[in-house]
């Protein structure tokens, strides 16, 4: 029933769309001012009328008739006495909106909107030859009165819907015994079979259907028409009776076969599982026996048995051959570790280096070498930062302080040939990030970028907050990077192979990946002889718990 209901609903939607297309077409013509002008013009002679008809009306209406299969005819009506009757335009001697001058055998007219000037659906029998035969007609009739300045004559457009096209749409499904399209008076306009599609309308009555017929109804949403689909339940019942014995036979056979297969499989699994359990108990008792692979198969139990066999063999080898050797090796490793610890303890303490630099700075100050003393002071501050940074996560402000000490040293190194600028959004200063992320990029720009040019050396650092991320940009006007080298660096910064002479960049990438996973990006852009720009994008974080 669900499938039948869905199929009937889909069919109704198609027919509804077909009729809605005709309604939309009539609306489009009702808004065409040239059409109003043509029908409201008084023509002095037939030649003037035919000139306008050929140049405008045929070019307007005929393309729609050629390409819209659901439209069988378009006709314009007017009581303008100067127009001539034709296939597309007709003159009405006496105005009758319902019949449009036709001698109808039977008809009904339904408003499709509440507006009196809206479209109407007409169901009619139109005599093709008087008193001999009749033809059915389904029309959309719409008054043409949108432009009030063209109101000398009454005008109307009639769009004829192709009932044969609708019948072909109804015949597309094979789920129903029959599908019919009826109007509000239960007149059958089109059907898949059984009913006539020409001449006097058949009247649909559900009471006249034979016993066992199930009828489904689906009203069309935009027009007062309904789609009925029905099928014979007795045919389905007979098929069920025929299939009942076959279904029972197949079901019983399947159950017996399933029990037999389950018994065989369960017996095999139980036997091999017992062998694995016995092997495990033997190993636990110190008896390192092996099970033949031919008895265990190649499924999961066989793989488990093979793994236990390998474990048994390795345990036996470890105990008999490698245990003592590993004890000796562990002893040697312990002594080696102690030696390394002593070597580390004997290395220069960073505090000692800081004190030595402080002594040199005091000596330089005493000798009035103020510039040298200032540079040594900045280097000492850098050492102090490194000493005091116990945690690897610091604020961006601390990172910038260290970076400015480094840039001042570079300023001293390049003298007046070097300029730098640092711009930071205030919202970014309190954000946390791994330490020494920006300085290696800036150092790379100094060493590999601006060092190779003779003058106007410049480095720009821009740090911005964009939504939930921090963007760090470091650009220089140095010598740039050639394409092969740039490709290697980009590959390394995307997780590729480490470059020997780019340890700093690789270290930055590895540390960012450690803290942010895939939620960061490093992009490098460079042109030979113009400069290089690095851009790092990381998430905003304000607490160490977020790392």
């Amino acid at each position: 029933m669900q499938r039948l209901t869905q199929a009937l609903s889909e069919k109704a939607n198609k027919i509804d769309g077909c009729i809605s297309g005709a309604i939309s077409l009539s609306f489009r013509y009702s808004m065409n001012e040239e059409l109003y002008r043509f029908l409201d013009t008084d023509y002095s002679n037939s030649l003037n009328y035919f000139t306008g008809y050929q140049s405008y009306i045929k070019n307007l209406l005929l393309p729609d008739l050629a390409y819209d299969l659901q439209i069988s005819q378009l006709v314009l009506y007017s009581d303008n006495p100067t127009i001539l009757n034709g296939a597309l335009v007709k003159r009405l001697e006496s105005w009758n909106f319902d019949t449009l001058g036709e001698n109808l055998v039977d008809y009904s007219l339904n408003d499709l909107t509440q507006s009196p000037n809206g479209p109407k659906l007409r169901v009619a029998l139109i005599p093709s030859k008087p008193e001999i035969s009749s033809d059915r007609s389904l029309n959309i009739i719409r008054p043409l009165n949108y432009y009030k300045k063209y109101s000398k004559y009454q005008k109307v457009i009639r769009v004829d819907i192709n009932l044969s096209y609708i019948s072909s749409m109804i015949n597309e499904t094979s789920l129903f015994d029959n599908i019919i399209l009826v109007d509000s008076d239960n007149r059958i306009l089109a059907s898949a079979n059984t009913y006539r599609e020409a001449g006097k309308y058949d009247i649909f009555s559900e009471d006249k259907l034979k016993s066992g017929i199930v009828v489904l109804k689906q009203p069309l949403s935009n027009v007062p028409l309904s789609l009925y689909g029905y099928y014979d339940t007795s045919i389905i019942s007979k098929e069920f009776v025929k299939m009942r014995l076959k279904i029972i036979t197949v079901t019983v056979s399947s159950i017996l076969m399933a029990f037999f297969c389950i018994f065989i499989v369960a017996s095999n699994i139980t036997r091999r599982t017992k062998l694995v359990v016995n092997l495990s108990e033997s190993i636990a008792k110190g008896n390192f026996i092996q099970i033949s692979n031919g008895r265990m198969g190649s499924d999961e139990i066989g793989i488990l048995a093979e793994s236990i066999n390998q474990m048994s063999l390795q345990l036996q080898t470890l105990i008999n051959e490698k245990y003592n050797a590993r004890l000796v090796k562990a002893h040697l490793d312990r002594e080696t570790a102690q030696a390394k610890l002593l070597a580390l303890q004997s290395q220069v303490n960073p505090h000692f280096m800081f004190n030595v630099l402080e002594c040199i700075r005091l000596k330089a100050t005493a000798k009035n070498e103020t510039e040298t003393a200032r540079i040594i002071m900045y280097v000492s501050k850098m050492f102090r930062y490194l000493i005091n940074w116990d945690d690897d996560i610091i604020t961006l402000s601390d990172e910038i302080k260290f970076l400015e000490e480094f840039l001042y040293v570079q300023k001293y190194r390049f003298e007046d040939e070097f300029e730098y600028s640092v711009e930071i959004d205030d919202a970014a200063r309190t954000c946390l990030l791994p330490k020494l992320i920006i300085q290696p990029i800036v150092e790379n720009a100094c060493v590999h970028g601006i060092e190779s040019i003779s003058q106007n050396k410049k480095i720009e650092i821009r740090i911005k907050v964009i939504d939930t991320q921090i963007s760090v940009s470091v650009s220089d006007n140095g010598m740039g990077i050639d394409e092969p080298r740039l490709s290697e660096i980009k590959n390394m910064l995307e997780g590729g192979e480490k470059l020997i002479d780019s340890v700093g960049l690789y270290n930055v990438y590895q540390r960012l990946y450690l803290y942010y996973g895939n939620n960061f990006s490093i992009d490098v852009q460079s042109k030979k002889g113009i400069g290089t720009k690095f851009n790092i994008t990381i998430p905003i974080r304000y607490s160490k718990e977020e790392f």
Side-chain angles (χ1 to χ4, degrees):
M1 290 298 294
Q2 289 177 347
R3 288 185 59 193
L4 290 171
T5 302
Q6 182 180 3
L8 191 64
S9 177
E10 292 174 355
K11 192 69 62 181
N13 290 336
K14 288 184 178 180
I15 297 174
D16 202 21
C18 175
I19 298 176
S20 296
I23 297 173
S24 299
L25 185 63
S26 69
F27 175 76
R28 177 157 60 88
Y29 285 129
S30 71
M31 303 296 290
N32 192 309
E33 186 175 359
E34 292 294 331
L35 185 64
Y36 283 77
R37 184 182 296 113
F38 172 79
L39 294 175
D40 219 50
T41 300
D42 289 322
Y43 297 96
S44 59
N45 54 57
S46 299
L47 179 61
N48 292 337
Y49 172 77
F50 279 115
T51 301
Y53 178 85
Q54 290 289 339
S55 63
Y56 180 71
I57 294 299
K58 291 185 68 174
N59 293 334
L60 175 67
L61 300 183
L62 288 180
D64 287 319
L65 290 175
Y67 295 106
D68 288 346
L69 298 179
Q70 69 268 30
I71 305 301
S72 61
Q73 189 177 13
L74 286 169
V75 183
L76 299 170
Y77 293 89
S78 176
D79 58 357
N80 185 348
T82 63
I83 66 174
L84 302 178
N85 281 321
L88 302 178
V89 179
K90 294 184 182 296
R91 182 178 73 244
L92 293 178
E93 300 296 341
S94 60
W95 187 261
N96 188 329
F97 185 84
D98 295 351
T99 63
L100 297 177
E102 297 172 308
N103 184 21
L104 301 180
V105 177
D106 183 17
Y107 77 93
S108 65
L109 198 65
N110 297 278
D111 291 324
L112 299 182
T113 64
Q114 295 181 355
S115 172
N117 297 322
K120 303 178 187 300
L121 179 72
R122 190 183 75 173
V123 178
L125 283 177
I126 303 174
S128 57
K129 292 182 180 180
E131 301 178 358
I132 297 177
S133 62
S134 299
D135 194 10
R136 299 179 181 182
S137 174
L138 183 63
N139 322 115
I140 300 297
I141 301 176
R142 182 187 289 269
L144 300 178
N145 52 13
Y146 180 76
Y147 295 100
K148 302 303 181 183
K149 61 181 179 179
Y150 301 108
S151 58
K152 182 186 298 183
Y153 301 107
Q154 298 191 71
K155 296 170 282 294
V156 69
I157 185 172
R158 190 188 84 195
V159 181
D160 292 352
I161 299 170
N162 191 344
L163 283 174
S164 298
Y165 182 75
I166 291 180
S167 296
S168 65
M169 295 173 60
I170 292 176
N171 276 290
E172 290 177 356
T173 183
S174 60
L175 293 177
F176 293 92
D177 293 336
N178 196 7
I179 297 179
I180 59 175
L181 179 67
V182 302
D183 65 359
S184 56
D185 296 325
N186 280 341
R187 287 179 289 191
I188 300 176
L189 308 182
S191 66
N193 53 58
T194 305
Y195 298 99
R196 294 176 297 175
E197 294 193 1
K200 185 179 179 181
Y201 289 109
D202 290 319
I203 304 299
F204 173 73
S205 175
E206 190 172 347
D207 297 335
K208 295 181 179 180
L209 296 176
K210 65 179 182 179
S211 176
I213 297 295
V214 175
V215 180
L216 298 179
K217 180 181 179 181
Q218 180 63 50
L220 274 62
S221 57
N222 294 323
V223 292
L225 302 178
S226 298
L227 203 63
Y228 285 91
Y230 50 85
Y231 67 97
D232 192 349
T233 57
S234 62
I235 298 177
I236 300 178
S237 300
K238 292 177 181 178
E239 291 298 324
F240 274 117
V241 171
K242 293 179 181 179
M243 291 297 296
R244 185 173 301 162
L245 181 59
K246 294 181 180 179
I247 292 173
I248 294 174
T249 303
V250 172
T251 303
V252 173
S253 301
S254 299
I255 293 174
L256 293 176
M257 182 63 69
F259 274 117
F260 178 75
C261 293
I262 291 172
F263 176 77
I264 296 298
V265 173
S267 299
N268 181 268
I269 293 175
T270 301
R271 177 183 60 81
R272 293 185 296 150
T273 303
K274 287 182 178 180
L275 290 175
V276 173
V277 171
N278 293 334
L279 175 61
S280 301
E281 291 177 349
S282 297
I283 293 174
K285 294 177 181 179
N287 185 14
F288 301 103
I289 61 175
Q290 306 290 313
I291 298 179
S292 174
N293 291 334
R295 301 173 59 189
M296 300 305 297
S298 58
D299 59 359
E300 288 80 358
I301 297 178
I303 295 173
L304 177 61
E306 177 62 22
S307 300
I308 295 177
N309 280 342
Q310 292 293 331
M311 181 186 66
S312 175
L313 182 61
Q314 290 176 4
L315 285 173
Q316 188 174 14
T317 302
L318 178 65
I319 292 174
N320 294 336
E321 298 179 3
K322 296 184 179 181
Y323 181 75
N324 292 330
R326 289 192 176 185
L327 286 178
V328 174
K329 185 177 182 301
H331 178 71
L332 292 176
D333 289 343
R334 186 168 57 253
E335 291 183 350
T336 301
Q338 291 177 351
K340 289 182 178 180
L341 179 61
L342 293 175
L344 290 174
Q345 291 176 348
S346 65
Q347 290 179 351
V348 177
N349 192 306
H351 288 281
F352 170 74
M353 294 296 297
F354 172 75
N355 293 333
V356 169
L357 287 173
E358 186 65 16
C359 292
I360 296 174
R361 186 185 69 81
L362 293 175
K363 286 289 185 180
T365 303
K367 293 181 179 182
N368 291 326
E369 296 177 356
T370 57
E371 189 172 6
T372 302
R374 185 179 296 108
I375 293 302
I376 295 174
M377 179 186 68
Y378 283 111
V379 175
S380 298
K381 287 183 177 181
M382 292 175 64
F383 268 101
R384 182 179 295 276
Y385 280 127
L386 294 175
I387 292 171
N388 293 334
W389 276 345
D390 295 330
D391 200 337
D392 196 42
I393 304 299
I394 62 174
T395 63
L396 181 62
S397 296
D398 292 338
E399 176 82 3
I400 296 303
K401 289 179 182 178
F402 182 81
L403 179 62
E404 289 178 341
E405 307 292 350
F406 173 78
L407 287 172
Y408 190 88
V409 174
Q410 298 302 313
K411 179 75 174 176
Y412 174 78
R413 172 189 177 191
F414 295 116
E415 298 182 348
D416 294 335
E417 298 175 353
F418 173 62
E419 296 292 335
Y420 67 88
S421 64
V422 181
E423 295 183 7
I424 310 173
D425 286 353
D426 292 337
R429 293 183 179 274
T430 58
C431 297
L432 299 180
L433 75 166
K435 67 181 180 182
L436 296 180
I437 292 298
I438 306 176
Q439 187 272 336
I441 305 296
V442 177
E443 182 179 355
N444 198 66
C446 293
V447 175
H448 300 290
I450 63 175
E451 186 178 279
S452 301
I453 61 176
S454 58
Q455 58 185 357
N456 295 328
K457 307 175 190 291
K458 187 174 182 180
I459 291 179
E460 295 181 351
I461 298 121
R462 303 284 183 270
I463 303 175
K464 298 180 179 180
V465 174
I466 302 176
D467 295 331
T468 59
Q469 294 182 319
I470 298 177
S471 175
V472 180
S473 172
V474 179
S475 58
D476 64 75
N477 63 343
M479 62 180 296
I481 307 172
D482 55 28
E483 287 296 330
R485 178 63 177 174
L486 183 62
S487 298
E488 292 177 352
I489 293 176
K490 287 185 176 181
N491 180 63
M492 180 186 71
L493 296 179
E494 292 175 356
E497 184 179 354
K498 175 183 177 182
L499 299 177
I500 298 177
D501 52 352
S502 295
V503 177
L505 286 178
Y506 186 77
N507 179 266
V508 170
Y509 169 79
Q510 291 292 331
R511 293 173 65 224
L512 288 175
Y513 183 79
L514 176 64
Y515 284 105
Y516 299 105
N518 293 320
N519 297 325
F520 79 96
S521 64
I522 302 181
D523 180 54
V524 55
Q525 302 174 2
S526 182
K527 290 187 178 180
K528 192 67 176 177
I530 296 179
T532 303
K533 181 178 180 180
F534 279 85
N535 193 77
I536 301 175
T537 304
I538 59 176
I540 294 178
R541 294 180 178 175
Y542 292 102
S543 64
K544 295 181 181 179
E545 289 75 13
E546 297 181 62
F547 287 87

